[in-house]
Amino acid sequence: MTTQERLKTQPLSAVAHVKVHGRTTGALAPLTLFWTGSAVEFNVQGSELWIEVEADYEVYEPWISILINSVPVSRQMLTAGRYWICVFRGMNENAIKNVRVVKEVQAMSEDPACLLQIHAVKGDGEFLPVADKPYKMEFIGDSITSGEGTVGAKAEEDWIPAWFSATYNYTAMTAEALNADYRVISQSGWGVLTSWDNNPHCNIPRYYEQVCGMLTGERNEALGVHTANAFEDWQPDVVVVNLGTNDGGAFQSPAWRDEATGETHKQRLHEDGTYNEEDLAAFEEAVERFLGTLRKNNKKAHIVWAYGMLGIPMMPSIHRAVSSYMRKTGDRRVSVFQLPNTTAETVGSRTHPGVLAHERAAQALTGYLHEILPR
Amino acid sequence: MTTQERLKTQPLSAVAHVKVHGRTTGALAPLTLFWTGSAVEFNVQGSELWIEVEADYEVYEPWISILINSVPVSRQMLTAGRYWICVFRGMNENAIKNVRVVKEVQAMSEDPACLLQIHAVKGDGEFLPVADKPYKMEFIGDSITSGEGTVGAKAEEDWIPAWFSATYNYTAMTAEALNADYRVISQSGWGVLTSWDNNPHCNIPRYYEQVCGMLTGERNEALGVHTANAFEDWQPDVVVVNLGTNDGGAFQSPAWRDEATGETHKQRLHEDGTYNEEDLAAFEEAVERFLGTLRKNNKKAHIVWAYGMLGIPMMPSIHRAVSSYMRKTGDRRVSVFQLPNTTAETVGSRTHPGVLAHERAAQALTGYLHEILPR
Amino acid sequence: MTTQERLKTQPLSAVAHVKVHGRTTGALAPLTLFWTGSAVEFNVQGSELWIEVEADYEVYEPWISILINSVPVSRQMLTAGRYWICVFRGMNENAIKNVRVVKEVQAMSEDPACLLQIHAVKGDGEFLPVADKPYKMEFIGDSITSGEGTVGAKAEEDWIPAWFSATYNYTAMTAEALNADYRVISQSGWGVLTSWDNNPHCNIPRYYEQVCGMLTGERNEALGVHTANAFEDWQPDVVVVNLGTNDGGAFQSPAWRDEATGETHKQRLHEDGTYNEEDLAAFEEAVERFLGTLRKNNKKAHIVWAYGMLGIPMMPSIHRAVSSYMRKTGDRRVSVFQLPNTTAETVGSRTHPGVLAHERAAQALTGYLHEILPR
Amino acid sequence: MTTQERLKTQPLSAVAHVKVHGRTTGALAPLTLFWTGSAVEFNVQGSELWIEVEADYEVYEPWISILINSVPVSRQMLTAGRYWICVFRGMNENAIKNVRVVKEVQAMSEDPACLLQIHAVKGDGEFLPVADKPYKMEFIGDSITSGEGTVGAKAEEDWIPAWFSATYNYTAMTAEALNADYRVISQSGWGVLTSWDNNPHCNIPRYYEQVCGMLTGERNEALGVHTANAFEDWQPDVVVVNLGTNDGGAFQSPAWRDEATGETHKQRLHEDGTYNEEDLAAFEEAVERFLGTLRKNNKKAHIVWAYGMLGIPMMPSIHRAVSSYMRKTGDRRVSVFQLPNTTAETVGSRTHPGVLAHERAAQALTGYLHEILPR
C-alpha cells in the first residue's frame, strides 16, 4: 500500500526520543523487556506508528498492552517470531500522541526461552521528548504484584500468561494516581525467604541486585540478566514491598525437596496450627536482610512494606522484623502498611485479587503514600 | 515448534460446531463478519486454538476482541493480510472453553475495502455444540450503538476504529444480563430519516432488509451484502431501536448538498430555535414506516424504541410516531423507553457515551426488558 | 436552670427574620405548615434555640426533621400538645447557624384533626436574614413525592406517618443540587384524573389553586386551606409534575362507588389487559387541562412532567397529552422526562421507592433541569 | 384522647421481656443507660408503644435513636425532665415489632449531671421474648468509636452531643453484619496511656473493670458506676480495641499539668519529629497491661486491636506490644487489624470519620472477623 511507502523505518536505537520503563541493561539494539510493567514510551507527532517486536518462548508467551494518551486501547498475545505491530494509524498528524507499549506478563523464570524484544519503529511522524514524572516508584512482589488473576473468568484455573496484567494492576494505578514513573520486580509464588512450596532458592532478595537474575538460559545470560543493576541511574522515591504472602503459604505446604542434592526445606507449623517460632524467626531475618539490601541500593527511598491483599497472617512477623531493622540501623524511612483484603466481590481469576481488589489496594496505598512523598 | 505439529488445521466450514453471531449470507468458506458485535463462537475441549483471519481496508481497519468464558481477554487491531491469530494456548486440555471472537468495529460504509473474514481454525481439541441462549435480541442504532467513544481518552477527537467497541457496549451488557443471543445493525452518524448532516441517503431503514446493504464496492457486492436478509432464520424476541439522535442533530447542521445532482436537504429550525413542524412530521413518518418494516420482518418481537443517551430532543416526536403507528395498526407490542443521559462523569472519548454510560444504559434497559420478555 | 433564664422568648410573628417554605395563608401567629417539605428557616447567631410547636391529630401524627447547616440532625414524631422543642444548644454563640425545621409528612386529607403549628421561638441569639436561593421549584405528586417508603424496613406494610420523609426525598435532593427554594404539593394515592382506587374526587388538579384545599374540617377551613393560593407571591422557575402512577393503577383496581350517591367510576381494561381507549382519553384530557391550570398560575415556569419511578405504563398517554396541549396552545415550555425506575436494590418500605431510588431520580432530574434552568 | 385510655402503663421492671444492651448495674427501676450504643429492646405485639424517660445534664444533653425492625426511624435530643416519648403508633396490632431505643451519645465524664433513664412503658400490646444473637462483641475506643463527627456538616466545630451517633457507627454496622449483640466502652480524647492532651488519668484501662467508672458525681456514684462490672454475665466472643489515636496525638500536644499537684506529663518527640523511645515504651507497656486486663475478664474472646481510621503512627508500637504480650503469655487469641483511613471523601464533621468512613471500616472489620468468629 502506498500508505506504507510514506512511513520511515528506523531502529529503536536511532530514535531521537525513547523512554524505557523497567530494568534493562541499557541496550536498545534491540531493547529487551524483562519485567511486567516494563515498557517503551514515545511522544509522537504523526498519523501512524508501528513497532517491530520479536517474541519467543517454549511455554509462556509474552503479552503486551498499548496505551494511547494513558488509556489502554489494545492488549494482545505475542506469538513467536519477529514482526511489525501497528500501534496506531489514521490519527491527526499534527496532534502529539503519548504511546506506551507495556509488557503485561512477568519475567518467566520457568521458561528460559521466553523473550520480548523491540527492534525498530516505523511511522510518518516526529519523536518528541517524554518528560520524567515528578516521582519514581519501585514495586517488589509476587503473583499479586504480577497481576495474576486480574484477567479472565473467576472459574479459570490454568496458570497461563493470559490471566496476568501489568495494566489492570495496583502498581500502575498507584503510579498513575501519584504521577510517578515506576518499575516492577515480581515473581508469582516467590517470597522473601522461600516460595509458597518451601523452595529456598525462590526468593526475590537473592536476585534483587541483578538486572533480572532469576531468568535462566544462555540467551538470557547473553542479554545480561545477571549483570549488576545500575541502581545509581534510577533512584526511586518510594519502594513498595508486597511480599510475605508466599512465605505464609509455605507453612501450609509440604516440604520442598531438591531432587539433585536431597536437600529439603519446610516452614513448620505446630500441631495446633500456629507457626513454628524458629521458622518465623528465619522469615523475619530474611525481611531484615532484605531491608538492608533495599536501603543499600535505594539511598533516598521511603520503603513501605505493603501487605494484606490475600490475608495478613505474616503481619506480626513483618512488623517485628521492620521494628528490629529500624532499631538496629536507626533507619527511620521504613514503614508497614496493610492493604485491603480481597473479598468475594473483588476476587478475580485463579482465586487471586481481581481488578476491583487492585483498585481498592491502589486507593488505600495512594492515600498513604500521598502523605509520605516529598512535596 | 513441535507444538504446532500436533495442531490440526481445518477450514471453518468443516468445523463440527460453529456458532455465528450477526447477519451473514450463511457462507462459512470463508465467514465474513460485517456488523459490530458479529462473532464466531466455539466450545472447544483442547489446550490450544488459533483462527486464520483475513483483513483489508483502505482507511478503516477492523479490530477484534477475544472472550474466553465470557470475559474479554484480548483486543487488537487487524492489519491487512491473511494470517493466524492465537485464541488461547497452554490451557488444560480437558476443560471445555467457550470462546468468542468478536468484531469490535461497525460495518464501514465509507470504506469499500474494509473486510474481516475468518477462514480456518487450528487446534488440538474437539469442537462441541454451542447452545442457543433462551432469548434473541436485535439492536439497531447509530454511533452510540456502535460503541463509538467507549475506548480512548476523553480528549480524543479522531474518528478511527480504535475508539469503537462492541464489547464495552450496552448491547453486549444487556444481552449478557438477559442471557440473550444478539445482533447489532448500526452506523455512526445515521438516523431514521437522515444522517446528522442532513444526508437523506444515510438512514438505517433503507438498508434494513438487506444483509448489510450500506456497504459498497464490488467485493462487498460479491460477498452478498445486498441480498435479502433471511429474517425467517433468526427471529428476535426483542428489537431495540436506538435511533433519533442524528435526526435531532440534523436540525442543528447545515444543509446537505448532493454535488452530483444539486439536490439539497435540510431539517429546519424556526428562528426561535424550535423545530420546523413539517420536518418533524417527516421524521415521525420515517419512524412509523420503519416500525412497519420492523414488524413485517420480526413477527413475534417486542419492539422498544430506546433513546436518550445523548439527550432527548426527539422524544416527543418518537412518542407521537409510535402512538400513531400503534393506533393505525393495532400493534400493541411496541413501546418507548428513555435511556439515561450521558454525564460529565460517564462520558467517553469523542464526547460520546463512555463505558460507564453504557453500563448505566444497560442496567436501565435490562430492568425494563426483564418485565417484557416472556418467562 | 439558669440557662433558661438568659433565653428570650418571642412569638414567631415578632421574629426579625423568618423564612417560610411551602404554601401558607401568610399567617405567622401561629404559622401552620400544611404540606410535606414545608418548613421554617432561620439564620441564628447564638448558642441555643428552641421552637414552640403545637401538634394535633385523630389518626396521623405529624413528624419533623431539623437540619442544621443543611444537614439533617434530628427527626421526630410530634405527639399531640403544645410544647417547646430544642433545635440546638451548647453551640458557639458567635457562629451563624442556618436551621430549618421541616414537616416530614404530607397534608393528611383523611385526618381533619391533623395539625402542625409553630407559635414561638426562644433563644439567646440574633435572627439574621435568610437569602432567597437563585431558583424556585414546585413539585407536584403522589406518594412518591410525599416520600412514602423512604423510611423503615422493606417489610413494613402499615400506612403510617413514620415511613414518610420530606428530607430523604428526590424533591429536597434535586432542589439542593440545583440550589433552589422549593415547595411540594402531594397526596398519596391521588392522580390527575382519579386516585389509585378510581375515586374521581381524589385528584390534585381539583385543589391546586387553593392553599391546601384537600384538607377538610372546621379547623382547617378556619386556617384558610380553601383560600386561593397567592401565586403572584411565589413564581417558580420550574414546575415538576410527578403524577400518573395512580391513574395507571386505577385501571388495575376495582370500580369506586360513592355510597351516598351510588355514583361509580372505573378506568377500564380490555380483556387482553390493554387500556380502554376512552378512559385513556379521559386521563389525557385531565393532563391537558392541568397543564392549562399550571400555565395560568405559573407564567414563567418550565413545566416538566417527570414520571417513571414505579414503571411507565402511562408514558404514551402523557406524551400524547403534552403534545396535544403544546400544539393547541403554542406553549413550548413544557416537556416530559422519564425518571429511573425503582429496582429490587433501591426499593424502600411499602414497596415504594427507597432513599436510593430517590437519589437516582434526583441525579437524573438534576442533570435534565440543569440544561433547562436559565443561567 | 380515648386512644390513651386503652394503653396500659407498667414500670420497666415489671415488663415480661426486656433486653438491655450495654453495661448496667442490673437495675431496671429505673434503667440507667451509661454508654453510647446502650439500649433497651423489645418485641412488641401491639399497635402503640411509649416509653417514659428521664434526662438531665448541666452541659451535655443525651440523645436517642429509635430503631423499628432494625431500621433507624427517629433520632432526637432529650431535654431535661421526666416525660413520655412515643416509640410507634398506628401500626398493625397483630404484627410483632422489634424496637430498640438506643443512647446515641457517650458517657459524659465531664458532666456529672448527665443522665438518661428509662422508667416505664405504656402500650396496648404484649411483650414477647427477644432472642440473643449468636455472637457477642465488645468495642473499646475513643471519639471514633463514640461516633463523634458522624452527624453534622463538615464545617461543624462545636463539641456537642448532636454530632455523635451510636447508630451511624462502625460498631453498630459491624455487629449488624455479623449478627452480634454488642457493647461499647468509649470516651472521646482518651487513650491507653493518656488522653490526647497528655493527661495520664484519662485512659480507658483505668476504669475498664467498673460499670462506668469514669463518670463522677454523687448521683452517678449512687447509681453504681464504680461497682465492679459483672463480666461473668456477658462474655464476648470478640473484643475490638480501637485505641491509640489519642496516645499518638499526645506526642504532638503540650504537656499536661495538674494544677492541684503541679504534676506534669508529656509524651515527648525528638527534635527531628520522631517519637521518644522511652515514652513509646510506656505506651507499649500500657497496651500490654491492658491486654492482660482484657484477657483476665474476657476468657474466651478473640481480642482484635483495630486501629487506623485517623492514621497509623502508633501501629509499630501496637504490634510490638501485642507481640510482646503474646510471647510472654502464650496467649494466641490476639491480633492487630488496620482499619481503612479516613479520606477527604469520607470525613465527617469535626474532622472526624464520617458515616462513609464508618461504613468502610465496618466492611473491612466484618470481613476480618468473619474468618475469626467460631462457626
Side-chain angles (χ1 to χ4, degrees):
Chain A
M1 275 190 282
T2 54
T3 313
Q4 294 291 330
E5 286 160 14
R6 60 182 179 75
L7 303 182
K8 175 188 160 200
T9 299
Q10 49 187 324
L12 190 67
S13 56
V15 173
H17 301 283
V18 184
K19 184 165 178 183
V20 174
H21 297 268
R23 286 188 184 175
T24 70
T25 57
L28 285 176
L31 167 67
T32 308
L33 298 179
F34 298 109
W35 299 97
T36 189
S38 293
V40 60
E41 181 179 2
F42 306 104
N43 280 340
V44 198
Q45 188 176 29
S47 75
E48 187 163 340
L49 180 70
W50 298 63
I51 55 167
E52 190 191 23
V53 300
E54 181 166 0
D56 198 12
Y57 46 87
E58 273 300 312
V59 184
Y60 302 121
E61 79 281 354
W63 285 62
I64 57 166
S65 273
I66 297 174
L67 286 79
I68 300 182
N69 295 326
S70 302
V71 175
V73 173
S74 63
R75 176 184 138 90
Q76 61 189 100
M77 184 193 293
L78 294 190
T79 50
R82 180 169 170 169
Y83 46 89
W84 288 93
I85 287 177
C86 184
V87 176
F88 65 81
R89 58 185 297 282
M91 295 187 77
N92 178 337
E93 66 190 1
N94 296 315
I96 300 169
K97 292 94 196 160
N98 176 267
V99 300
R100 183 187 280 233
V101 180
V102 183
K103 185 166 192 276
E104 283 279 274
V105 185
Q106 69 172 21
M108 284 294 180
S109 61
E110 303 207 356
D111 185 355
C114 185
L115 179 77
L116 171 57
Q117 294 183 317
I118 298 174
H119 286 276
V121 300
K122 180 167 68 178
D124 62 354
E126 293 294 308
F127 291 86
L128 304 171
V130 181
D132 283 344
K133 298 203 166 165
Y135 300 115
K136 290 185 174 61
M137 298 181 65
E138 183 173 86
F139 294 89
I140 302 167
D142 47 32
S143 58
I144 297 170
T145 301
S146 289
E148 181 178 338
T150 55
V151 178
K154 291 194 181 183
E156 302 295 355
E157 295 183 350
D158 294 314
W159 199 92
I160 55 172
W163 312 143
F164 286 71
S165 174
T167 306
Y168 301 111
N169 193 302
Y170 80 94
T171 56
M173 295 168 187
T174 304
E176 167 102 3
L178 293 168
N179 200 17
D181 286 324
Y182 76 104
R183 293 179 169 185
V184 182
I185 308 296
S186 67
Q187 197 67 199
S188 285
W190 290 35
V192 191
L193 181 67
T194 74
S195 60
W196 69 277
D197 56 355
N198 282 297
N199 185 334
H201 306 306
C202 294
N203 68 76
I204 299 278
R206 184 173 178 180
Y207 301 104
Y208 179 74
E209 292 179 305
Q210 299 173 2
V211 167
C212 190
M214 61 191 56
L215 293 186
T216 58
E218 285 183 19
R219 182 164 61 192
N220 282 322
E221 178 68 35
L223 287 170
V225 295
H226 295 111
T227 58
N229 185 55
F231 288 100
E232 64 281 8
D233 293 348
W234 199 88
Q235 281 281 306
D237 301 281
V238 175
V239 173
V240 175
V241 190
N242 188 344
L243 286 171
T245 301
N246 290 303
D247 294 287
F251 285 91
Q252 316 292 340
S253 302
W256 171 84
R257 178 184 163 87
D258 185 336
E259 294 308 323
T261 65
E263 172 195 6
T264 65
H265 185 81
K266 169 75 183 114
Q267 295 287 91
R268 293 161 295 174
L269 291 177
H270 290 299
E271 289 206 348
D272 68 354
T274 57
Y275 296 128
N276 176 286
E277 289 75 8
E278 210 174 301
D279 296 345
L280 267 190
F283 167 72
E284 293 171 29
E285 282 156 28
V287 170
E288 274 198 67
R289 275 196 309 273
F290 191 33
L291 289 171
T293 304
L294 291 173
R295 177 55 75 221
K296 174 183 146 205
N297 294 299
N298 303 283
K299 293 287 189 300
K300 70 169 184 176
H302 187 99
I303 302 170
V304 180
W305 206 288
Y307 168 73
M309 289 171 73
L310 287 173
I312 55 171
M314 304 307 281
M315 191 59 107
S317 279
I318 291 169
H319 264 284
R320 276 194 298 269
V322 170
S323 270
S324 172
Y325 165 81
M326 293 175 78
R327 194 181 57 245
K328 289 176 189 165
T329 61
D331 185 349
R332 303 198 165 284
R333 315 211 46 237
V334 184
S335 61
V336 181
F337 185 74
Q338 182 184 317
L339 295 172
N341 201 4
T342 297
T343 66
E345 187 195 354
T346 65
V347 74
S349 62
R350 289 184 49 70
T351 60
H352 269 69
V355 177
L356 277 176
H358 279 261
E359 284 178 356
R360 294 193 188 171
Q363 280 171 9
L365 186 57
T366 298
Y368 179 70
L369 293 175
H370 214 73
E371 300 186 3
I372 284 173
L373 280 170
R375 271 172 267 201
Chain B
M1 275 188 280
T2 55
T3 312
Q4 293 289 331
E5 287 159 16
R6 60 184 178 75
L7 304 182
K8 174 186 161 200
T9 299
Q10 50 187 324
L12 189 68
S13 56
V15 173
H17 301 283
V18 184
K19 183 165 179 182
V20 174
H21 297 269
R23 287 187 183 177
T24 70
T25 57
L28 285 177
L31 167 68
T32 307
L33 297 179
F34 297 110
W35 299 98
T36 189
S38 294
V40 60
E41 182 179 3
F42 306 104
N43 281 340
V44 198
Q45 189 175 30
S47 74
E48 187 164 342
L49 180 72
W50 299 62
I51 55 167
E52 190 192 24
V53 300
E54 181 167 1
D56 197 12
Y57 46 87
E58 272 300 311
V59 185
Y60 302 121
E61 78 283 353
W63 285 61
I64 56 166
S65 274
I66 297 174
L67 285 77
I68 300 183
N69 295 326
S70 302
V71 175
V73 173
S74 63
R75 175 184 140 91
Q76 62 189 99
M77 183 194 293
L78 295 190
T79 50
R82 179 168 170 170
Y83 46 88
W84 288 93
I85 286 177
C86 184
V87 176
F88 64 82
R89 58 184 298 282
M91 296 186 78
N92 178 338
E93 65 190 2
N94 297 314
I96 300 170
K97 291 94 195 160
N98 176 269
V99 299
R100 183 188 280 235
V101 180
V102 183
K103 186 166 192 274
E104 283 279 275
V105 184
Q106 68 171 21
M108 284 295 180
S109 61
E110 303 208 355
D111 185 355
C114 185
L115 178 77
L116 172 56
Q117 294 182 318
I118 298 174
H119 287 276
V121 300
K122 180 168 68 177
D124 61 354
E126 294 293 306
F127 291 85
L128 303 171
V130 181
D132 282 346
K133 297 204 165 162
Y135 300 114
K136 288 184 174 61
M137 298 183 64
E138 183 173 89
F139 294 90
I140 302 168
D142 48 32
S143 58
I144 297 170
T145 301
S146 290
E148 182 177 338
T150 56
V151 178
K154 291 194 183 184
E156 301 296 352
E157 294 183 349
D158 294 313
W159 199 91
I160 56 171
W163 312 143
F164 286 72
S165 174
T167 307
Y168 301 112
N169 192 304
Y170 81 94
T171 55
M173 296 168 187
T174 304
E176 167 101 3
L178 293 168
N179 200 17
D181 286 324
Y182 75 103
R183 293 178 168 184
V184 181
I185 308 296
S186 67
Q187 198 66 200
S188 285
W190 289 35
V192 190
L193 180 67
T194 74
S195 60
W196 69 277
D197 57 354
N198 282 296
N199 185 335
H201 306 305
C202 294
N203 69 75
I204 299 278
R206 184 173 178 179
Y207 301 103
Y208 178 74
E209 292 179 304
Q210 299 173 3
V211 167
C212 190
M214 62 191 55
L215 292 186
T216 59
E218 286 184 17
R219 182 165 61 193
N220 281 321
E221 177 68 35
L223 287 169
V225 296
H226 294 111
T227 58
N229 184 56
F231 287 100
E232 64 281 8
D233 293 347
W234 198 88
Q235 282 281 305
D237 300 281
V238 175
V239 173
V240 175
V241 190
N242 188 344
L243 287 171
T245 301
N246 289 303
D247 294 286
F251 285 91
Q252 317 291 341
S253 302
W256 171 84
R257 178 186 163 87
D258 184 336
E259 294 307 324
T261 66
E263 172 195 7
T264 66
H265 185 81
K266 169 76 183 114
Q267 295 287 90
R268 293 161 295 174
L269 291 176
H270 290 299
E271 289 205 350
D272 67 354
T274 57
Y275 297 128
N276 176 287
E277 289 75 7
E278 210 174 301
D279 296 345
L280 265 191
F283 166 73
E284 294 171 29
E285 283 157 26
V287 170
E288 276 199 64
R289 275 196 310 275
F290 191 33
L291 289 170
T293 305
L294 290 173
R295 175 56 74 221
K296 174 183 145 207
N297 294 298
N298 303 283
K299 292 288 189 297
K300 70 168 185 177
H302 187 99
I303 302 171
V304 180
W305 206 288
Y307 167 73
M309 289 171 73
L310 287 172
I312 54 170
M314 305 307 282
M315 191 59 106
S317 279
I318 290 169
H319 265 284
R320 277 194 298 270
V322 170
S323 272
S324 172
Y325 164 80
M326 292 175 78
R327 193 180 60 246
K328 289 177 189 164
T329 61
D331 185 350
R332 302 198 166 284
R333 313 209 48 237
V334 185
S335 61
V336 181
F337 185 73
Q338 182 183 316
L339 294 172
N341 200 4
T342 298
T343 67
E345 187 196 353
T346 65
V347 74
S349 62
R350 290 184 49 73
T351 60
H352 269 69
V355 176
L356 276 176
H358 278 261
E359 284 177 357
R360 295 193 188 172
Q363 280 172 8
L365 186 56
T366 297
Y368 179 69
L369 292 176
H370 214 73
E371 301 185 4
I372 284 174
L373 280 169
R375 271 174 268 199
Chain C
M1 274 189 282
T2 54
T3 313
Q4 294 290 330
E5 287 159 16
R6 60 182 178 75
L7 304 182
K8 174 187 161 200
T9 300
Q10 50 187 324
L12 189 68
S13 56
V15 173
H17 300 284
V18 184
K19 184 166 178 181
V20 174
H21 297 268
R23 287 186 183 179
T24 70
T25 58
L28 285 177
L31 167 67
T32 308
L33 297 180
F34 298 110
W35 300 97
T36 188
S38 293
V40 59
E41 182 179 3
F42 307 104
N43 280 340
V44 198
Q45 188 175 29
S47 74
E48 186 163 342
L49 180 70
W50 298 64
I51 55 167
E52 191 192 23
V53 300
E54 181 167 359
D56 197 13
Y57 46 87
E58 273 299 311
V59 184
Y60 302 121
E61 78 282 354
W63 285 62
I64 57 167
S65 274
I66 296 174
L67 286 78
I68 299 182
N69 296 325
S70 302
V71 175
V73 174
S74 63
R75 175 184 140 89
Q76 61 190 99
M77 183 194 293
L78 294 189
T79 51
R82 179 168 170 171
Y83 46 88
W84 288 93
I85 286 176
C86 184
V87 176
F88 64 81
R89 56 185 297 284
M91 296 187 76
N92 178 338
E93 65 189 2
N94 297 315
I96 300 170
K97 292 93 195 162
N98 176 268
V99 299
R100 183 187 279 235
V101 180
V102 184
K103 187 168 192 275
E104 284 279 276
V105 185
Q106 69 171 21
M108 283 295 180
S109 60
E110 303 208 354
D111 184 356
C114 185
L115 179 77
L116 172 56
Q117 293 182 318
I118 298 174
H119 286 277
V121 300
K122 181 167 68 179
D124 62 353
E126 294 293 306
F127 291 86
L128 304 170
V130 181
D132 283 347
K133 297 203 166 164
Y135 299 114
K136 289 184 175 62
M137 299 182 64
E138 183 172 86
F139 294 90
I140 301 167
D142 48 33
S143 58
I144 297 169
T145 302
S146 289
E148 182 178 338
T150 55
V151 178
K154 291 194 182 183
E156 302 296 352
E157 295 183 349
D158 294 314
W159 200 92
I160 55 171
W163 311 143
F164 286 72
S165 174
T167 307
Y168 301 112
N169 193 302
Y170 81 94
T171 56
M173 296 167 185
T174 304
E176 167 101 3
L178 293 168
N179 199 18
D181 287 324
Y182 75 104
R183 293 178 169 186
V184 181
I185 308 296
S186 67
Q187 198 66 199
S188 284
W190 290 34
V192 190
L193 180 67
T194 73
S195 60
W196 69 275
D197 57 354
N198 282 297
N199 185 334
H201 306 307
C202 294
N203 69 75
I204 299 279
R206 183 172 178 180
Y207 301 103
Y208 178 74
E209 293 178 304
Q210 299 172 2
V211 167
C212 190
M214 62 191 56
L215 292 186
T216 58
E218 286 182 18
R219 182 164 63 192
N220 281 322
E221 177 69 35
L223 287 170
V225 296
H226 294 111
T227 59
N229 184 56
F231 287 100
E232 64 281 9
D233 293 347
W234 199 88
Q235 282 282 306
D237 301 282
V238 174
V239 173
V240 174
V241 189
N242 188 344
L243 286 170
T245 300
N246 290 302
D247 294 287
F251 285 92
Q252 317 291 341
S253 303
W256 171 85
R257 178 185 164 86
D258 184 336
E259 293 307 323
T261 66
E263 172 196 6
T264 66
H265 185 81
K266 170 75 183 114
Q267 295 287 90
R268 293 161 295 175
L269 291 177
H270 291 298
E271 289 204 350
D272 67 353
T274 58
Y275 297 128
N276 176 287
E277 290 76 6
E278 209 174 302
D279 296 345
L280 265 189
F283 167 73
E284 293 171 29
E285 284 156 26
V287 170
E288 275 199 65
R289 275 195 311 274
F290 191 33
L291 289 170
T293 305
L294 291 173
R295 177 55 74 221
K296 174 183 147 205
N297 294 299
N298 303 282
K299 293 288 191 296
K300 71 168 184 177
H302 187 99
I303 301 170
V304 181
W305 207 288
Y307 168 73
M309 289 171 72
L310 288 172
I312 55 171
M314 305 307 281
M315 192 58 107
S317 278
I318 291 168
H319 264 284
R320 277 193 298 270
V322 170
S323 272
S324 172
Y325 164 80
M326 293 175 77
R327 193 180 60 246
K328 290 175 189 166
T329 62
D331 185 349
R332 303 197 165 284
R333 315 210 47 235
V334 185
S335 61
V336 181
F337 185 73
Q338 182 183 316
L339 295 172
N341 200 5
T342 298
T343 67
E345 187 196 354
T346 65
V347 74
S349 62
R350 290 183 49 72
T351 60
H352 269 69
V355 176
L356 277 176
H358 278 261
E359 284 177 357
R360 295 193 189 172
Q363 280 171 8
L365 186 56
T366 298
Y368 179 70
L369 292 175
H370 214 73
E371 300 186 3
I372 284 174
L373 281 170
R375 271 173 266 200
Chain D
M1 273 189 282
T2 54
T3 313
Q4 294 290 330
E5 288 160 16
R6 60 182 179 75
L7 303 182
K8 173 186 159 200
T9 299
Q10 49 187 325
L12 189 67
S13 55
V15 173
H17 300 284
V18 184
K19 184 165 178 182
V20 174
H21 297 269
R23 287 188 185 177
T24 70
T25 57
L28 286 176
L31 167 68
T32 307
L33 297 179
F34 297 110
W35 299 98
T36 188
S38 293
V40 59
E41 182 179 3
F42 306 104
N43 279 340
V44 198
Q45 188 175 28
S47 74
E48 187 163 341
L49 181 70
W50 298 64
I51 54 166
E52 191 191 23
V53 300
E54 182 167 359
D56 197 12
Y57 46 88
E58 271 301 310
V59 184
Y60 301 121
E61 77 282 353
W63 285 62
I64 57 167
S65 274
I66 296 174
L67 285 78
I68 300 183
N69 296 326
S70 302
V71 175
V73 173
S74 64
R75 175 184 140 91
Q76 61 190 100
M77 183 194 293
L78 294 190
T79 50
R82 179 168 170 168
Y83 45 89
W84 288 93
I85 286 177
C86 184
V87 176
F88 64 82
R89 57 184 299 283
M91 296 187 76
N92 179 337
E93 64 189 3
N94 297 315
I96 300 171
K97 291 95 195 159
N98 176 268
V99 299
R100 184 188 280 234
V101 180
V102 183
K103 186 166 192 275
E104 283 280 274
V105 184
Q106 68 172 21
M108 283 295 180
S109 60
E110 303 207 354
D111 184 355
C114 185
L115 178 77
L116 171 57
Q117 294 182 317
I118 299 174
H119 286 276
V121 300
K122 181 167 69 178
D124 62 354
E126 293 293 307
F127 290 85
L128 303 171
V130 180
D132 283 346
K133 297 203 165 163
Y135 300 114
K136 289 185 175 60
M137 299 182 65
E138 183 173 87
F139 294 89
I140 301 167
D142 48 33
S143 59
I144 297 169
T145 302
S146 289
E148 182 177 339
T150 55
V151 178
K154 292 194 183 183
E156 302 296 353
E157 294 183 349
D158 294 314
W159 199 92
I160 55 171
W163 312 142
F164 286 73
S165 174
T167 307
Y168 301 112
N169 193 304
Y170 81 94
T171 55
M173 296 168 186
T174 303
E176 167 102 3
L178 292 169
N179 200 18
D181 286 324
Y182 76 104
R183 293 179 169 185
V184 181
I185 308 295
S186 67
Q187 198 66 200
S188 285
W190 289 35
V192 191
L193 180 67
T194 74
S195 60
W196 69 277
D197 57 354
N198 282 296
N199 185 334
H201 306 306
C202 294
N203 68 76
I204 299 278
R206 184 173 178 181
Y207 301 103
Y208 179 73
E209 293 179 303
Q210 300 173 2
V211 167
C212 190
M214 64 191 54
L215 292 186
T216 58
E218 287 182 18
R219 182 164 62 192
N220 282 321
E221 177 69 35
L223 288 170
V225 295
H226 295 110
T227 58
N229 185 55
F231 287 101
E232 63 281 8
D233 294 347
W234 198 88
Q235 282 281 306
D237 301 281
V238 175
V239 173
V240 175
V241 190
N242 188 344
L243 286 171
T245 300
N246 290 302
D247 294 286
F251 285 91
Q252 316 291 341
S253 303
W256 171 84
R257 179 186 162 86
D258 184 338
E259 293 306 323
T261 67
E263 173 196 5
T264 65
H265 185 81
K266 169 76 182 114
Q267 295 287 89
R268 292 161 295 175
L269 291 177
H270 290 298
E271 289 206 349
D272 67 354
T274 58
Y275 297 127
N276 176 288
E277 290 76 9
E278 209 174 303
D279 296 345
L280 266 190
F283 167 72
E284 293 172 28
E285 282 156 27
V287 170
E288 276 198 64
R289 275 196 310 275
F290 192 32
L291 289 170
T293 304
L294 291 173
R295 177 56 75 222
K296 174 182 147 208
N297 294 298
N298 303 282
K299 293 287 189 296
K300 71 169 186 176
H302 187 99
I303 302 170
V304 180
W305 206 288
Y307 167 74
M309 290 171 72
L310 288 172
I312 54 171
M314 305 306 282
M315 191 59 107
S317 280
I318 290 169
H319 264 284
R320 276 194 298 269
V322 170
S323 272
S324 172
Y325 164 80
M326 293 175 78
R327 194 181 57 246
K328 290 176 189 166
T329 61
D331 186 349
R332 302 199 165 283
R333 315 209 47 235
V334 185
S335 61
V336 181
F337 185 74
Q338 183 183 316
L339 295 172
N341 201 3
T342 297
T343 67
E345 187 196 353
T346 66
V347 74
S349 61
R350 289 183 49 72
T351 61
H352 269 69
V355 176
L356 277 175
H358 278 261
E359 285 178 356
R360 295 193 188 172
Q363 281 171 9
L365 186 56
T366 297
Y368 179 68
L369 292 176
H370 213 72
E371 300 186 3
I372 284 175
L373 280 170
R375 270 174 270 200

